[in-house]
Amino acid sequence: MIYLDNAATTKLDTECLQAMLPYFQENYGNPGGLYSLGAKSKKAIQTARRQIAQALDCEMDEIYFTSGGTESDNWAIRMGALASQEKGKHLITSAMEHHGALHCFRELEKQGFRVTYLQPDEEGILSAKKVQEAIRPDTVLISIMYANNEIGTIQPIEEIGRLAKEKGILFHTDAVQAFGHLPISAKREAFDFLSASAHKFYGPKGIGFLYIRKSIAIPNLLLGGNQESGHRPGTENVPAIVGMGVAARVSMEKMEERGQKESLLRDYLIQQMENNIPGCTLTGARTNRLPNHASFVIPGIEGESLLVMLDMKGICASSGSACTVGSKEPSHVLMAINRTPEEAKGSLRLTLSYEITEDEIRETVLIIAQIVGQLRKMSGYK
Ligand code: PLP
């Protein structure tokens, strides 16, 4: 098998698995328990919190564990907006956010908020200037993703953060695709909230975190017990939290080495695709993109047929976001960067891990070229 869908999810690192295992059967105590079995779990949670705080260059008490990216986005955006509505009801986001964020804005519109959905340029970049122009006296929250899941483009988060801070506007960034892959610092960058999800950086699924800057108070998404200082109640998923802590530490230690290898192979993959598949074009920015991310549109094919045929050859790939599979609508991200619905039909996303080899990439491109040839022949595309 050649796995090229690491933006959808990654394989758990063996070191994470080893660290998690004792917390299923040996150290299974509830962290709230007043006995040593509970204390072991509580200590493991604090270790993970420290590992994540170090990775994000922030304080430990600014990290709140959640069930993943979707929950973190919901908490920051919905509760951030509600907390500020006395000051104003205008919100700014981009038209290419993940649905975990976008659907929160649609919901807030129903509750009387007004939302500006900014269009990025054709590479998917949203300039700070464009954000600045959209700011109004009643703007209370801006949410712009760190890097896009479908086209890999990285946004100027530091600049946008500075702008939001100057104007006293809350700023959230969905860093689900970026955290663990790019160096991010809460001290250097002025975001107030940041969402991340462990399964995108070789940790377990169903666990993530929301960074909340210490000076910011927002209402809780859930109500219940005292876990996470009462802000995110519910018995902690201890093995998953432990796994995410280790995944964060390993990602930081190996970021440079992994990133260098991945970006070289990403560029090789892009070049091979462009050279071997007539008409194939890159979507998103060429250099300002995630190190492991390549995405294309290929005219004359249906992305879904290509994926099925790739699967029969043992290759896992995607045509966009894992969350929109089965949707008949063209990708909102490709629409936002001015691609046509026709182009969007032939989209292909290939996302690498640090384990991928040059031989696997060469083999993948050869197979894609063969399948594209067959599909084009069947559809009569010239
Ligand atoms: N945000 C982005 C940019 C994503 O890519 C994803 C998942 O693909 C999410 C949010 C949702 O994360 P999760 O699956 O952990 O809820």
Side-chain angles (χ1 to χ4, degrees), residues 95-99 102 119-122 124 145 148-153 283 320-321 330-339 344:
M96 60 175 180
E97 299 295 306
H98 188 271
H99 283 148
L102 219 43
Q119 298 293 325
D121 68 15
E122 296 204 340
M145 70 202 312
N148 186 270
N149 47 308
E150 287 188 40
I151 56 169
T153 304
T283 53
S321 161
S331 148
H332 68 284
V333 177
L334 295 179
M335 293 300 98
I337 58 166
N338 254 336
R339 297 295 187 139

Side-chain angles (χ1 to χ4, degrees), residues 175-191:
V176 168
Q177 293 292 336
F179 181 82
H181 299 271
L182 299 175
I184 305 179
S185 162
K187 298 228 165 84
R188 191 185 67 237
E189 296 161 80
F191 45 77

Side-chain angles (χ1 to χ4, degrees), residues 7-8 67-71 73 97-101 145 147-149 174-177 196-200 206-207 321-323 349:
S67 64
T70 304
E71 184 185 328
D73 284 351
E97 299 295 306
H98 188 271
H99 283 148
M145 70 202 312
N148 186 270
N149 47 308
D174 173 343
V176 168
Q177 293 292 336
S197 184
H199 72 112
K200 310 289 186 176
I207 186 79
S321 161
C323 314
R349 180 182 74 179

Side-chain angles (χ1 to χ4, degrees), residues 101-138:
L102 219 43
H103 289 177
C104 294
F105 285 102
R106 300 263 184 247
E107 184 58 33
L108 287 164
E109 278 184 293
K110 288 185 202 153
Q111 293 170 26
F113 285 87
R114 281 165 306 279
V115 181
T116 300
Y117 298 92
L118 294 172
Q119 298 293 325
D121 68 15
E122 296 204 340
E123 291 194 331
I125 297 173
L126 196 64
S127 67
K129 185 167 174 277
K130 211 159 192 185
V131 177
Q132 184 166 21
E133 283 163 5
I135 294 176
R136 309 187 329 196
D138 59 342

